[in-house]
């Protein structure tokens, strides 16, 4: 069939923002020889038999803007020294091409294949320089082809059918060495004991395994899917308070922990539920944790990481990360409606040197933000909360946390596949993309992964997922009742994990040839384990299939029938064209994994070496505000749609200038209701010297953030996301144990149940030279809490000159892990880590919540990174006011200004209400620390700053 | 009862808040998917009000709203023009605006003349923001004194409450030429502008939204449907009391009030 090439570019004299942006990116990336100018041209390759009239009609009506653009057919003459074109590699998702194919079909009734690309004409640089520039800042070769001449192929590569047989793998006779080799070579990443268990199983069956069965087991048993480490039996040596649940204490101080997760994170939740917390509706079992919102509605929350794909292809990695998390919400209970997204990124500092095969941190962050933006915005889900943390140890292994909140009717929070239900898949087609994602994410990254695992990296198509969401919600809310009995998403492991989980109790028979494919040539095993995006699996009773099919057809959402749930022996039976190609017992899949035993140890660090340097408070405050971990994230926030769905009550940015750092976001999940939901996070990586404190401070910070906007601390649920450098060596695992103990103690103390969690335990990068770079132990606490009446919400921006500033909570001398100490390591101070007082912290939260809801507080801000002075300054410049501080003198001036003691709050109160406020707060420690002024000056002792100077330092600290 | 038709499509995602806006303003919204509407354009005849919601129709592939506009040009142009002739107010925020100009509903025929029988070539465009980035913020909302727009007339606002949220990557208003812009300005078809120091996307003449000659069809980049409650004002915690109803809600009330007038007029004419 004929190939047509159509070019569309801004008309001479019209702006070319994309070209400007390319230039800006090159500048930011520090490219030496810059072009004077970049012209961009959209390129459409259309394969199909279309006559010239059709082509010109498509060009004029569909592809080219009548006012601002000019088009041409074929290859137009270069307008500059060098031309570089970028086009997606064969098989890589090209969302706009798919949309154009649909449009051509609707307009001309013709089926064509389309590919879209970009042409860059670079003025004033040679082709090789231009090519390098494109490689460095405009295109990623893992998913894109870079061409130094205009790309005009005679035909597209179409997949070709190849051997569809599913081989037996000789396993029963292998030696241990051979088993380990097979595990690595086949990307199974199972350890020897697990391989031996599989070997024994097949010996007992008296046959060799089929390839597809091994793939299924490797995925089902992957760290990513079953969290083996957190469930292992652990022999721990180190400080361990007495009488922890599920801990056996031995003489000599060591303890045995039977299933770390169950004995810490989950134990806290179940003990709290046994002790009066009755609003947890579903914990740890579903795709997200569910709590009660009001009489009729429930809300759910899930957070995940997508680290390894994001290291190789940040744009696609982040987009599919948020896409997958949204699907988790769509697959919770009988489907929830996603109403908010969150994200937290951890990357190296922009100026840090990167090892071979690593992308530059600035590019990673820019692309990750673009990925979340493009996917979240297209899904129509407001991205409302998040943060960015810089640490050079994330250089080879950046972290991308994505979270999503959903709302659903309370009577639809669970469902099970029934015998005889059809296995219905809705959404995207299956391709070779994303194969081995689950096992890949359970391995360490090396400099060769970019080549080895490029197929695990994907580009998402948000609209495919939006269509599936629209169709599923319509099927859920069908007048005659929900049209399906169970639903889950295709995440890691694809159909294999989705059908495997849904069929665990009843078994399933799957016809793999029934799955719609993106292109020919996929083997049955590839279809089964492909992690292609935007697919949901439903269990639908025979009589409802036709109705769901009609709904999907109206929404342009593709649907297929993959087989039946329920087999006599509760087995998983895989078929291709009616031939059986695999058979596994559900019990071996889900319960066959051998329990492992691990050894862990933790030795407390010495926290008390101190320097003798006196620091300059006047200079320190602006330095702190400009620190990338503290600085404004405005350049990221404003790229996210945080208004869509019209639910926002408190936004990520507040104050008259619209750039004050809100402590948390508040939305109204139920339209028209005055009941709200506050969403926040806590991340205390800086306290890594004691992982227990990472957890306790993270939870304390998350609670403070929610309380500051008006959330009820007695109605907060939290999530745990562990990202660990590794868990194989005793020290790393010991830190994980120590951190889990912090989770248990703090969750119990604050009465904030964990409702869901996820871990990613292999975050290290091995360079070409064999050096291993480990990330710092990282625990993200995400939380959401009920706001009983949104009209009582408050924000952090100072409101009125003359109002008094009150500090709630005691400041200690502990400066360990503080930003001031990071910037001035020789600072003369007490370098012990600040510990959360688990008795006082919850009391402070309750007391502050009481005065906020009773209307005594005009603004509230949590006092954390950077300390008291910085928090007060943020309140002042966010409200365009000054503040005159008069700080207590019990500690040194520097310590009082910059200590980051947890559990502290700053409250603005009208002078006339001060006494009432202090009386209400009798039970907790309060100090009047200053007064807001209209002189636009922050002052304390003999130091003073203009608020514009401070605001500019803060706004300038992070530029993307 | 005033019935408000909301046209949804793959990737449209502001339909629910638009429905809420019509409801709060006293109308009864009903959503129809474009696939259904294209098969049965007469559904438009049953509407007293029409809304093109915001979103990313068909992923905004090629350009924002391009594919949806093409589908509608081919099948719904006549029915929509007929609705305008009947006096039906149409609002098209964000993606809806991008779609309305590409269908040829906006800016519409020169004042006094009738709609062409086939969709005209667009004379204005909403191009990529000069920043080449999606941007979400609240901006100052200014109504030119000579605006003939039904939706934006007599809005009761204070400087504090005369703001509205935008959220788009392709909102830069570009007229074909100086003449087109001048004609729009003189005929009162500039429905709203950004504050002169508050133009977020490089729009020519700070143009935020335009209407057709009848003032019934309003296309605008911001989202009035996201400002219906006082607690949606980004600084509501700073404002003692918001005297008037939120700007967005007032716009929808204007349109509903207009349909009531319109209906009574029709009745009177019918009686004569």
């Amino acid at each position: 069939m004929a190939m047509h090439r159509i070019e569309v570019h801004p008309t001479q004299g019209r702006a070319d923002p994309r070209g400007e942006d390319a230039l800006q990116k090159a500048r930011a990336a520090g490219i030496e020889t810059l072009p004077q100018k970049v012209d961009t041209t959209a390129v459409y390759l259309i394969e199909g038999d279309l006559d010239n009239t059709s082509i010109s009609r498509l060009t004029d009506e569909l592809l080219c803007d009548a006012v601002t653009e000019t088009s041409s057919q074929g290859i137009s003459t270069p307008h500059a020294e060098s031309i570089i074109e970028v086009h997606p590699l064969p098989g890589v998702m090209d969302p706009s091409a798919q949309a154009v194919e649909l449009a051509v079909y609707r307009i001309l009734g013709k089926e064509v294949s389309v590919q879209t690309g970009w042409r860059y004409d670079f003025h004033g640089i040679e082709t090789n320089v231009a090519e390098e520039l494109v490689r460095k800042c405009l295109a990623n070769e893992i998913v894109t082809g870079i061409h130094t001449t205009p790309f005009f192929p005679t035909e597209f590569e179409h997949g070709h059918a190849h051997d569809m047989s599913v081989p037996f793998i000789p396993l029963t006779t292998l030696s241990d060495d051979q088993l380990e080799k097979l595990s690595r070579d086949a990307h199974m990443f199972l350890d020897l004991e697990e391989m031996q268990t599989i070997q024994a199983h097949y010996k007992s069956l008296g046959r060799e395994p089929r390839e597809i069965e091994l793939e299924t087991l490797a995925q089902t048993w992957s760290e990513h899917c079953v969290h083996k480490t957190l469930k292992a039996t652990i022999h721990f040596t180190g400080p361990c308070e007495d009488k922890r649940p599920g801990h056996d204490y031995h003489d000599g101080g060591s303890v045995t922990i039977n299933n770390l997760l169950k004995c810490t994170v989950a134990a806290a939740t179940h003990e709290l539920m046994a002790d009066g917390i009755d609003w947890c509706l579903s914990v740890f079992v579903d795709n997200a944790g569910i709590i009660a919102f009001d009489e009729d509605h429930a809300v759910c929350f899930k957070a995940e990481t997508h680290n390894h794909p994001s290291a190789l292809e940040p744009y696609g990695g982040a987009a599919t990360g948020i896409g997958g998390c949204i699907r988790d919400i769509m697959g919770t209970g009988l489907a929830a409606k996603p109403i908010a997204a969150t994200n937290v990124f951890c990357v190296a500092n922009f100026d840090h040197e990167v090892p071979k095969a690593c992308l530059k941190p600035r590019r990673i962050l820019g692309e990750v933000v673009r990925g979340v933006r493009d996917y979240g915005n297209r899904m129509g889900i407001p991205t409302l909360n998040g943060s960015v943390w810089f640490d050079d140890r994330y250089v080879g292994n950046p972290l991308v946390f994505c979270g999503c909140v959903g709302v659903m009717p309370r009577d639809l929070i669970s469902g099970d596949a029934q015998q005889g239900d059809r296995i219905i898949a809705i959404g995207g087609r299956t391709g070779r993309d994303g194969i081995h994602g689950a096992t890949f994410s359970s391995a360490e990254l090396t400099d060769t992964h970019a080549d080895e695992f490029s197929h695990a990296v994907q580009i998402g198509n948000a609209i495919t997922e939006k269509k599936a969401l629209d169709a599923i919600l319509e099927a859920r809310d069908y007048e005659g009742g929900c049209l399906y009995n169970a639903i889950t998403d295709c995440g890691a492991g694809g159909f294999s994990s989705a059908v495997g989980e849904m069929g665990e109790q009843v078994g399933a028979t799957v016809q793999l040839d029934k799955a719609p494919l993106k292109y020919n040539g996929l083997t049955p095993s590839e279809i089964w384990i492909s992690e292609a995006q935007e697919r949901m699996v439903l269990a639908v009773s025979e009589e409802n299939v036709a109705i769901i099919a009609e709904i999907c057809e109206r929404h342009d959402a593709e649907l297929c029938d993959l087989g039946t749930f329920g087999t006599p022996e509760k087995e998983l039976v895989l078929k291709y064209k009616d031939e059986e190609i695999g058979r596994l017992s559900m019990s071996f899949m889900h319960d066959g994994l051998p329990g492992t035993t691990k050894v862990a140890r933790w030795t407390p660090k010495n926290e008390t070496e101190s320097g003798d340097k006196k620091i300059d408070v006047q200079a320190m405050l602006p330095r702190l505000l400009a620190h990338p971990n503290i600085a404004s994230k405005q350049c990221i926030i404003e790229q996210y749609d945080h208004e869509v769905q019209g639910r926002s009550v408190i936004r990520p940015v507040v104050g008259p200038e619209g750039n004050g750092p809100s402590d948390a976001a508040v939305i109204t999940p139920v339209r028209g209701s005055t009941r709200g939901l506050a969403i926040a996070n806590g991340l205390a990586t800086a306290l890594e010297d004691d992982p227990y404190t990472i957890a306790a401070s993270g939870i304390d910070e998350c609670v403070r953030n929610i309380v500051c906007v008006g959330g009820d601390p007695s109605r907060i649920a939290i999530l745990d996301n562990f990202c660990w450098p590794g868990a194989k060596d005793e020290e790393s695992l010991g830190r994980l144990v120590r951190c889990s103990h912090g989770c248990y103690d703090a969750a119990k103390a604050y009465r904030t149940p964990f409702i869901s969690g996820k871990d990613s335990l292999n975050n290290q990068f091995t360079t070409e030279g064999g050096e291993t770079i480990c990330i710092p132990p990282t625990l993200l606490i995400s939380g959401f809490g009920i706001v009983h009446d949104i009209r009582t919400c408050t924000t952090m921006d100072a409101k009125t000159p003359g109002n008094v500033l009150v500090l709630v909570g005691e400041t200690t001398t502990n400066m360990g892990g503080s930003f001031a100490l990071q910037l001035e390591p020789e600072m003369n101070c007490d370098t012990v880590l600040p510990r959360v007082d688990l008795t006082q912290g919850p009391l402070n939260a309750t007391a502050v919540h009481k005065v906020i809801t009773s209307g005594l507080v005009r603004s509230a801000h949590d006092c954390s990174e950077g300390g008291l002075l910085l928090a007060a300054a943020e309140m002042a410049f966010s409200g365009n006011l000054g503040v005159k501080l008069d700080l207590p003198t019990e500690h040194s001036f520097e310590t009082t200004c910059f200590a980051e003691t947890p559990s502290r709050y700053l409250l603005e109160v009208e002078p006339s209400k001060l006494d009432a406020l202090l009386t209400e707060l009798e039970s907790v420690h309060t100090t009047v620390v200053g007064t807001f002024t209209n002189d636009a000056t922050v002052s304390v002792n003999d130091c003073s700053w203009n608020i514009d100077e401070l605001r500019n330092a803060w706004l300038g600290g992070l530029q993307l | 009862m005033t019935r408000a038709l909301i046209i949804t499509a793959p990737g449209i995602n502001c339909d629910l808040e638009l429905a809420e806006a019509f409801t709060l303003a006293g109308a009864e919204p009903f959503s129809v998917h474009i696939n259904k509407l294209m098969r049965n354009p007469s559904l438009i005849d049953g509407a007293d009000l029409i809304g093109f919601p915001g979103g990313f129709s068909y992923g905004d592939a090629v350009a924002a709203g391009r594919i949806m506009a093409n589908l509608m040009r081919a099948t719904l142009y006549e029915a929509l023009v007929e609705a305008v002739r009947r006096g039906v107010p149409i609002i098209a925020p964000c993606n809806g605006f991008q779609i309305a100009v590409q269908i040829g509903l906006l800016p519409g025929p020169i004042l006094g003349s009738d709609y062409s029988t086939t969709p005209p070539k667009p004379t204005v465009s909403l191009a990529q923001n000069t920043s080449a980035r999606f941007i979400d913020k609240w901006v100052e909302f200014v109504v030119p004194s000579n605006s003939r727009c039904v939706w934006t007339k007599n809005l009761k606002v204070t400087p504090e409450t005369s703001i509205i949220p935008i959220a788009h990557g392709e909102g830069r208003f570009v007229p074909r030429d100086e003449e087109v812009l001048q004609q729009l300005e003189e005929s009162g078809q500039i429905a709203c502008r950004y504050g002169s120091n508050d133009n977020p996307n490089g729009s020519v003449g700070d143009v935020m939204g335009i209407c057709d000659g009848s003032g019934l069809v309003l296309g605008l980049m911001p989202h009035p449907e996201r400002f219906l409650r006082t607690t949606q004002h980004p600084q509501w915690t700073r404002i003692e009391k918001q005297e008037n109803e939120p700007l967005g809600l007032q716009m929808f009330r204007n349109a509903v009030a207009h349909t009531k007038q319109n209906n009574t007029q029709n009745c009177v004419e019918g009686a004569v």
Side-chain angles (χ1 to χ4, degrees), chain A residues 638 642-643 645 651 797, chain B residues 17 66 136 138 232 238:
Chain A
E638 71 181 9
H642 38 80
E643 302 282 346
Q645 296 191 19
R651 296 166 179 73
D797 49 304
Chain B
E17 48 268 52
R66 180 70 55 80
D136 175 322
W138 284 68
Q232 287 174 318
R238 301 182 69 82

Side-chain angles (χ1 to χ4, degrees), chain A residues 29-49:
Chain A
I31 307 273
E32 288 85 17
T33 37
L34 289 169
Q36 293 115 13
K37 185 160 165 290
V38 184
D39 301 329
T40 63
T41 301
V43 177
Y44 299 90
L45 296 166
I46 303 179
E47 188 179 37
D49 54 359

Side-chain angles (χ1 to χ4, degrees), chain B residues 1 12 19 34 59 63 70 77-78 117 124 147 152 159 178 188 207 226:
Chain B
M1 188 60 180
I12 288 298
I34 186 171
N70 268 272
Y77 174 76
E78 283 173 28
T117 49
V124 305
S147 162
T152 58
E178 193 47 44
V207 172
R226 296 181 185 181

Side-chain angles (χ1 to χ4, degrees), chain B:
Chain B
M1 188 60 180
T2 311
R3 303 189 74 228
L5 165 65
I6 295 173
I7 303 173
T8 65
I12 288 298
N13 59 31
C14 302
D15 46 319
L16 292 181
E17 48 268 52
L18 189 56
E20 184 182 23
F22 282 124
T23 309
L24 291 176
E28 188 183 274
F30 65 107
S31 291
V32 180
H33 195 282
I34 186 171
N35 288 351
K36 190 172 171 188
L37 197 60
M38 288 192 297
R39 274 184 238 119
N40 185 3
S42 65
L43 285 168
I44 291 176
D45 307 342
D48 308 301
L49 287 160
I50 300 174
F52 297 0
F56 291 80
S57 55
Y58 298 90
D60 279 355
V62 184
R66 180 70 55 80
I67 289 177
M68 181 145 173
N70 268 272
L71 299 179
M72 291 174 75
R73 275 173 81 95
T75 51
L76 302 173
Y77 174 76
E78 283 173 28
L80 289 165
V81 165
E82 196 39 53
V84 181
R85 291 207 184 95
R86 274 195 292 125
V88 173
I90 300 179
I91 189 163
C94 204
N95 204 217
F97 188 17
Q98 294 155 337
I99 289 163
V101 299
Q102 295 179 83
I103 295 176
L105 282 179
L106 286 173
I110 306 287
L111 209 50
S113 54
D114 195 2
Y115 280 90
S116 54
T117 49
T118 56
K121 223 175 174 21
T123 57
V124 305
S125 174
L126 294 151
Q128 189 181 31
N129 299 350
T130 40
S131 67
R133 281 185 182 181
F134 186 99
I135 178 162
D136 175 322
K137 67 186 288 205
W138 284 68
V139 295
E140 189 185 342
F141 183 87
V142 181
V143 178
S145 52
N146 75 336
S147 162
R148 58 173 56 240
C149 177
V150 166
W151 297 79
T152 58
K153 68 177 184 208
N154 322 327
L155 296 172
K156 295 177 192 59
V157 291
T158 65
E160 222 166 24
T161 57
S162 187
I163 59 172
I164 197 160
I166 57 147
H168 59 255
E170 298 173 42
R172 176 167 48 101
F173 178 83
V174 183
R176 189 188 58 211
D177 48 40
E178 193 47 44
E179 187 189 336
V180 168
L181 181 63
Q182 197 182 354
Q183 190 269 327
L184 289 174
E185 283 172 336
E186 286 166 359
S187 59
Q189 286 181 254
I190 308 295
C192 45
R193 297 184 197 268
Y194 302 102
S196 46
N197 304 322
D198 207 7
N199 179 340
N201 51 27
S203 290
V204 175
D206 300 326
V207 172
M208 173 195 269
I210 60 174
C211 64
D212 70 330
S214 70
L216 289 168
V217 186
L218 168 63
L220 73 176
M221 284 318 296
H223 290 274
E225 77 280 14
R226 296 181 185 181
F227 189 17
L228 307 172
R229 289 182 294 273
T230 50
T231 52
Q232 287 174 318
H233 188 293
Q235 282 103 47
W236 70 270
T237 59
R238 301 182 69 82
I239 305 172
E240 280 309 322
K241 187 174 188 312
Q242 295 176 47
E243 289 303 331
N244 310 305
E245 277 194 327
L247 178 68
L249 183 52
Q250 289 186 50
M251 290 170 64
F252 287 89
R253 287 206 192 280
N254 276 341
V256 172
H258 180 88
T259 58
K260 298 234 160 77
Q261 274 174 13
N262 191 32
N263 292 341
T264 35
Q265 271 170 14
N266 294 349
C267 298
V268 176
E269 284 157 12
V272 175

Side-chain angles (χ1 to χ4, degrees), chain A residues 314-316 318-320 322 366-376:
Chain A
Y315 177 77
T320 53
I322 186 68
E367 289 293 281
V368 161
V369 167
R370 200 167 64 88
V372 170
R373 175 193 77 194
D374 286 0
Y375 210 101

